[in-house]
């Protein structure tokens, strides 16, 4: 054969290989996630385990700069580079993509840095830097990372989602997404005293999904919108930062985004939140402590309301002890006012000694005592504000910020006088009175607005709020190393940055049993080992749904009232003889089984798509399952078992239901509301 022809054939044969090799430099693979970058610096994400329609159909402008009059999205890729790096999350790789935009006298360089981590397969983080290489300034109003249109696969609903924002609507954190859905998910203040949350959005179909968010170690004022148009077959997610008034990007200057992440998930959001928690804990956010006292059942005097009397609490304690409950909580109403935490003389005419005597009485009965408190709140006209007028958090207009529930004002979390007074109050509660724990309460605690009266800049209060709770936690634990610090940001999606400085999470005023369960799954994903209190059972469906907290491994609690001498003034939480039988049975069962100390197996079941709703716990190599549905008559699955036979035992009604064989067992069950069972090895 002619030598030139032979060479030509060899070149033609090699060309596809060479082209393929070049393209591989623009593909980042980690676990089940594939992240592709094309010559326009557009990206596409691929979930390698998704079995139906691709999650993302085509390349799109996922990272871009928002400018006036239009967003800058179109860049030409000019170079790529890969290197091994050390990171706070262990060894990894850095993939750097550089591109340029040049149009109508505007010249912007885009540097996209993508990081993967050996110990976190299926997850990558990225940061984008934009450099103004032109000759004139450019008005910039924000940036976007991870804007993806996720395709529906024809499921019903189209998607399920976890959305971690907070508002006065006190909405579910787990939501179905169908055409017409829209939610902004701003991580700042969405109402006067509601804001903050978990900076993660997870969107999934039956066959898989992805999660995005920011991975900074302090609260950041970004949005994570989720939108699905009325006629759309895909939902759009993104991380968005608005800069407020347009910032001028002068020639030669740069704007850098936060470091954000994307991860692949199989099943619901549990695995993504668990990975997110691992990511931020490795970066320096403290992982909440596992405190044994925090798993003991609780009774709270809130059933008597703010008008409780000391006599009512004392008269109820024998019944609380009889129930096997280990904690008694003195709730809102002991104080003169929010901010003036001295005892109300009408309620405690004996002063501090009378409160100490009450705590001693609780201790003498073999129980522990906790006190309610709303730090950072002060009522107008209080002595604290008269003596410390400069401690208020103020808006740009110099106006105080309103806390709705108590008609109070926000105090600044970075004001030295506020911090010192707060620490002094912890000492008062725990040293002088002898309380064993604190119930930190109020939706206002989850986030604060920018403070224009303190700090080097208004955002310092936003960023340093977790440090305020750190002061409380360390002061309390320094007094009593076993003290329980409950973080209860009423109705908000709990901030992981604040939660880090507590050792008991709570369902925080749930509006349904569904909320108790989804909040429990969320907390157990974010902070494995942290006790989760299901709040007062009276807040569950029907006011008596103990099975919801019990089945997911939550700590049981109640706020029942008890009038042994008659003179019943409120029947809303009254422990009737009929209720007493039910309450006693559940608390006995709780103390005997302590499933709250087990390992919650959150990846086994999809809280959205799997029916009936199912939760699983492993404790001491035993498996426990909780099924929930209004009415169910059909087959259920027992996942996660060993390859052996088991007897399914209904431990609530004490009866055997049938045999199954692992690793995935099947059994027909009929129930209303719930069915709680143990899989006993045969």
């Amino acid at each position: 054969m002619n030598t030139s022809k032979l060479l030509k054939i060899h070149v033609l044969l090699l060309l596809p290989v060479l082209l393929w090799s070049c393209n591989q430099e623009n593909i980042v693979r980690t676990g089940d996630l594939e992240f592709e970058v094309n010559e326009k610096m557009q990206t596409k994400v691929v979930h390698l385990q998704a079995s139906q329609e691709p999650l993302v159909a085509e390349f799109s402008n996922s990272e871009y700069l928002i400018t006036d009059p239009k967003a800058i999205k179109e860049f030409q890729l000019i170079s790529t580079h890969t290197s091994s790096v050390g990171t706070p999350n262990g060894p990894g790789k850095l993939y750097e993509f550089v591109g340029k935009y040049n149009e109508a006298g505007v010249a912007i360089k885009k540097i996209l840095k993508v990081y993967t981590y050996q110990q976190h397969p299926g997850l990558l983080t990225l940061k984008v830097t934009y450099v103004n290489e032109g000759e004139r300034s450019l008005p910039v109003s924000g940036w976007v990372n991870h804007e993806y249109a996720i395709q529906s696969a024809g499921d019903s609903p189209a998607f399920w989602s976890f959305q971690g924002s907070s508002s006065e609507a006190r909405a579910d954190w787990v939501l179905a997404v169908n055409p017409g859905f829209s939610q902004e998910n701003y991580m700042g203040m969405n109402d006067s005293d509601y804001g903050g949350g978990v900076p993660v959005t997870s969107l999934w179909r039956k066959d898989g999904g992805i999660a995005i968010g920011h991975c900074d170690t302090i609260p950041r004022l970004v949005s994570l919108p989720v939108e699905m148009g009325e006629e759309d077959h895909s939902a759009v997610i993104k991380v968005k930062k608005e800069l407020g008034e347009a910032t001028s990007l002068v020639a030669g200057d740069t704007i850098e985004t936060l470091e954000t992440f994307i991860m692949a998930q199989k099943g619901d959001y549990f695995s993504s939140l668990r990975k997110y928690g691992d990511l931020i804990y490795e970066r320096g956010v403290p992982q909440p402590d596992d405190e044994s006292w925090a798993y003991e059942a609780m009774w709270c005097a809130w059933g008597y309301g703010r008008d409780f009397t000391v006599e009512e609490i004392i008269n109820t304690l024998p019944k609380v002890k009889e129930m096997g409950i280990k904690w008694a909580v003195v709730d809102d109403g002991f104080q003169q006012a929010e901010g003036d935490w001295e005892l109300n003389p009408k309620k405690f005419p004996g002063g501090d000694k009378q409160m100490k005597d009450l705590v001693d009485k609780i201790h003498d009965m073999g129980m522990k005592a906790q006190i309610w408190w709303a730090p950072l709140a002060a009522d107008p006209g209080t002595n604290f504000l008269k003596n410390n007028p400069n401690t208020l958090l103020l808006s740009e207009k110099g106006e105080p910020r309103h806390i709705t529930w108590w008609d109070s004002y926000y105090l600044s979390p970075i004001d030295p006088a506020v911090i010192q007074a707060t620490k002094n109050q912890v000492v008062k509660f725990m040293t002088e009175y002898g309380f064993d724990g604190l119930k930190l309460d109020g939706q206002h605690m989850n986030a604060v607005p920018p403070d224009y009266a303190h700090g080097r800049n208004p955002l310092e209060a936003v960023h340093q709020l977790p440090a305020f709770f750190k002061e409380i936690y360390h002061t309390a634990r320094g007094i009593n190393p076993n003290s329980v610090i409950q973080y209860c940001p009423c109705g908000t999606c709990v901030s992981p940055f604040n939660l880090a400085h507590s050792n008991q999470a709570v369902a925080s005023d749930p509006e349904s049993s569904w909320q108790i369960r989804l909040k429990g799954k969320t907390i157990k994903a974010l902070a494995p080992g942290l006790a989760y209190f299901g709040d007062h059972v009276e807040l569950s469906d029907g006011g008596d749904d103990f099975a919801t907290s019990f089945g997911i491994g939550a700590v049981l609690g109640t706020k029942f009232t008890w009038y042994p001498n008659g003179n019943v003034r409120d029947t809303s939480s009254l422990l009737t003889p009929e209720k007493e039988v039910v309450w006693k049975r559940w608390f006995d069962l709780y103390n005997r089984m302590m499933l709250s100390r087990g390992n919650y197996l959150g990846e086994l079941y999809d809280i959205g798509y799997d029916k009936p709703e199912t939760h699983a716990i492993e404790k001491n190599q035993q498996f426990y399952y909780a099924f929930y549905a209004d009415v169910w008559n059909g087959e259920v699955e027992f996942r996660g078992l060993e390859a052996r036979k088991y007897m399914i035992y209904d431990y609530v009604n004490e009866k055997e239901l049938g045999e199954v064989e692992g690793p995935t067992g099947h059994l027909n069950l009929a129930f209303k509301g719930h069915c709680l069972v143990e899989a006993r090895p045969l």
Side-chain angles (χ1 to χ4, degrees):
M1 182 181 286
N2 183 296
T3 305
S4 62
K5 287 185 178 181
L6 186 61
L7 181 60
K8 185 176 181 180
I9 291 172
H10 284 173
V11 170
L12 290 173
L13 287 172
L14 284 170
L15 187 57
V17 177
L18 291 171
L19 289 174
W20 182 86
S21 297
C22 277
N23 289 337
Q24 294 310 298
E25 294 179 9
N26 298 346
I27 298 177
V28 179
R29 290 190 181 90
T30 172
D32 296 330
L33 182 65
E34 191 171 86
F35 181 87
E36 302 180 27
V37 182
N38 69 11
E39 70 280 359
K40 296 181 180 180
M41 290 198 77
Q42 297 174 318
T43 72
K44 182 170 71 171
V45 293
V46 178
H47 191 319
L48 298 176
Q49 282 197 30
S51 58
Q52 300 180 35
E53 294 291 326
L55 287 176
V56 176
E58 55 191 17
F59 284 93
S60 64
N61 298 305
S62 55
E63 285 74 39
Y64 56 88
L65 203 56
I66 305 172
T67 64
D68 187 21
K70 67 174 185 176
I72 296 179
K73 299 181 176 182
E74 300 289 342
F75 292 84
Q76 187 65 40
L77 182 64
I78 58 174
S79 69
T80 64
H81 178 72
T82 305
S83 59
S84 296
V85 292
T87 77
N89 301 105
K93 281 192 172 183
L94 165 62
Y95 302 81
E96 185 173 278
F97 303 90
V98 179
K100 289 195 174 184
Y101 171 93
N102 202 325
E103 184 178 314
V106 176
I108 301 292
K109 180 166 74 173
K110 176 180 180 180
I111 305 168
L112 170 64
K113 294 183 177 181
V114 180
Y115 296 87
T116 61
Y117 308 90
Q118 286 184 16
Q119 60 197 44
H120 295 293
L123 175 153
L124 61 82
T125 66
L126 63 81
K127 182 181 287 189
V128 187
T129 301
Y130 299 95
V131 184
N132 185 354
E133 295 188 329
E135 296 180 355
R136 61 184 178 88
S137 297
L138 185 68
V140 177
S141 56
W143 53 260
V144 167
N145 283 359
H146 304 298
E147 182 174 303
Y148 308 118
I150 310 300
Q151 292 192 110
S152 168
D155 301 328
S156 181
F159 303 95
W160 277 97
S161 66
F162 169 81
Q163 301 182 50
S165 60
S166 304
S167 75
E168 64 184 6
R170 298 192 172 192
D172 296 342
W173 308 348
V174 176
L175 296 164
V177 174
N178 283 308
F181 183 93
S182 178
Q183 188 162 295
E184 182 67 13
N185 297 315
Y186 179 52
M187 290 292 115
M189 303 302 294
N190 292 303
D191 294 293
S192 179
D193 48 352
Y194 286 84
V198 181
V200 176
T201 287
S202 169
L203 189 74
W204 71 92
R205 313 181 311 204
K206 285 183 179 180
D207 64 333
I210 62 172
I212 60 173
H214 84 70
C215 46
D216 209 336
T217 56
I218 58 174
R220 294 291 188 178
L221 303 186
V222 298
S223 298
L224 294 98
V226 178
E227 297 178 87
M228 189 174 187
E230 292 284 357
E231 305 298 325
D232 289 350
H233 296 284
S234 60
V236 176
I237 59 176
K238 68 184 80 168
V239 180
K240 180 176 67 175
K241 172 64 178 177
E242 293 183 347
L243 302 177
E245 294 183 6
T247 298
S248 181
L249 184 61
V250 301
D253 206 353
T254 66
I255 283 183
E256 189 174 70
T257 72
L258 292 176
E259 189 172 1
T260 56
F261 68 81
I262 176 172
M263 62 181 83
Q265 67 184 49
K266 194 73 173 172
D268 68 20
Y269 69 107
F270 183 87
S271 62
S272 291
L273 277 196
R274 176 63 60 84
K275 289 179 183 177
Y276 166 73
D278 292 342
L279 197 70
I280 61 172
Y281 299 144
E282 291 168 2
R283 292 182 176 216
V285 175
Q287 184 165 356
D289 291 325
D290 183 356
E291 171 53 56
S292 60
W293 283 13
Y295 293 90
E296 296 175 324
M298 312 187 87
W299 171 80
C300 183
W302 185 238
Y304 294 109
R306 288 173 174 164
D307 298 327
F308 76 84
T309 66
V310 175
E311 182 183 15
E312 285 173 333
I313 294 177
I314 291 174
N315 287 342
T316 310
L317 292 178
K319 184 59 65 176
V320 174
K321 181 177 181 179
E322 183 185 326
M323 289 284 176
I325 296 170
K326 308 298 183 184
W327 282 90
V329 184
V330 178
D331 212 283
D332 187 1
F334 67 85
Q335 73 279 13
Q336 294 180 18
E338 283 71 47
D340 288 349
W341 298 107
E342 295 82 5
L343 299 177
N344 184 337
K346 294 181 180 179
K347 195 160 293 186
F348 290 87
D352 288 351
K353 183 180 184 302
Q354 188 176 4
M355 178 64 91
K356 186 179 186 307
D357 288 346
L358 174 59
V359 174
D360 288 344
K361 181 72 172 177
I362 294 170
H363 288 161
D364 290 345
M365 298 188 74
M367 294 183 288
K368 301 177 182 69
Q370 188 181 63
I371 190 166
W372 169 94
W373 186 28
L376 284 183
D379 297 346
T382 52
N383 289 327
F384 181 82
L385 288 182
K386 290 177 182 177
N387 296 329
N388 302 276
N390 297 321
T391 56
L392 286 171
L393 181 151
L394 298 179
S395 71
E396 193 171 8
K397 296 179 180 179
E399 298 171 343
R401 185 78 172 204
H402 191 227
I403 298 173
T404 56
W405 177 256
W406 296 288
D407 294 323
S408 302
Y409 290 145
Y410 267 101
L411 298 175
S412 173
I414 60 174
D415 183 274
V418 172
I419 295 170
Q420 188 58 54
T422 299
K423 293 167 67 175
N424 292 344
Q425 193 61 52
V426 174
V427 173
K428 179 97 173 179
F429 285 146
M430 301 190 67
T431 300
E432 294 188 34
Y433 297 156
F435 280 98
D436 307 291
L438 304 173
K439 174 184 176 180
L440 308 182
D441 191 57
Q443 66 272 6
H444 70 287
M445 299 190 305
N446 212 49
V448 298
D451 181 4
Y452 288 83
H454 300 84
R456 292 162 296 188
N457 67 73
L459 291 178
E460 189 172 338
V462 176
H463 298 158
Q464 293 301 314
L465 179 61
F468 174 82
F469 290 103
K470 180 180 179 180
E471 294 284 356
I472 294 175
Y473 187 73
H474 283 255
T475 302
R477 297 279 282 185
I479 297 168
N480 182 345
N482 297 113
S483 58
V484 173
I485 312 304
Q486 182 190 105
Y487 180 69
C488 182
C490 310
T492 63
C493 188
V494 60
S495 164
F497 312 107
N498 299 343
L499 187 66
H501 307 294
S502 69
N503 53 24
Q504 188 183 66
V506 61
S508 60
D509 293 352
E511 300 196 339
S512 65
S513 291
W514 161 246
Q515 282 198 352
I516 296 171
R517 298 193 296 271
L518 71 87
K519 289 180 178 184
K521 183 161 194 169
T522 301
I523 296 299
K524 290 173 182 292
L526 270 178
L530 177 67
Y532 171 66
F533 175 46
D535 217 326
H536 313 137
V537 69
E538 291 82 0
L539 297 175
S540 66
D541 293 351
D544 60 357
D545 184 11
F546 283 100
T548 270
S549 285
F550 200 103
I552 65 168
V555 178
L556 294 193
T558 178
K559 60 174 182 175
F560 71 77
T561 57
W562 176 252
Y563 300 90
N565 303 321
N567 301 319
V568 177
R569 67 178 177 88
D570 185 358
T571 61
S572 59
S573 298
L574 181 64
L575 187 68
T576 63
E578 295 78 15
K579 280 186 176 181
E580 185 174 347
V581 173
V582 176
W583 263 238
K584 184 73 165 62
R585 183 184 181 196
W586 279 103
F587 282 106
D588 284 348
L589 196 63
Y590 178 80
N591 289 332
R592 188 166 73 248
M593 297 181 69
M594 290 298 290
L595 292 189
S596 58
R597 295 292 279 164
N599 178 27
Y600 179 80
L601 305 175
E603 295 188 38
L604 289 182
Y605 294 92
D606 184 327
I607 197 171
Y609 287 113
D610 282 336
K611 304 299 177 187
E613 178 191 335
T614 310
H615 301 259
I617 294 171
E618 180 272 327
K619 185 185 179 190
N620 298 330
Q621 298 181 324
Q622 296 288 102
F623 294 93
Y624 301 87
Y625 297 84
F627 302 98
Y628 301 98
D630 291 338
V631 178
W632 184 265
N633 190 349
E635 188 177 79
V636 300
E637 279 194 3
F638 296 85
R639 301 172 187 167
L641 296 170
E642 297 176 2
R644 60 188 299 180
K645 290 185 177 181
Y646 294 82
M647 173 60 69
I648 302 304
Y649 180 73
D650 179 342
Y651 57 78
V652 177
N653 299 300
E654 300 180 336
K655 62 180 181 180
E656 295 179 345
L657 302 180
E659 293 184 18
V660 301
E661 186 168 358
T664 301
H666 299 85
L667 188 67
N668 286 321
L669 294 180
F671 62 88
K672 291 183 178 180
H674 64 267
C675 182
L676 309 185
V677 301
E678 175 186 355
R680 294 181 168 178
L682 291 175

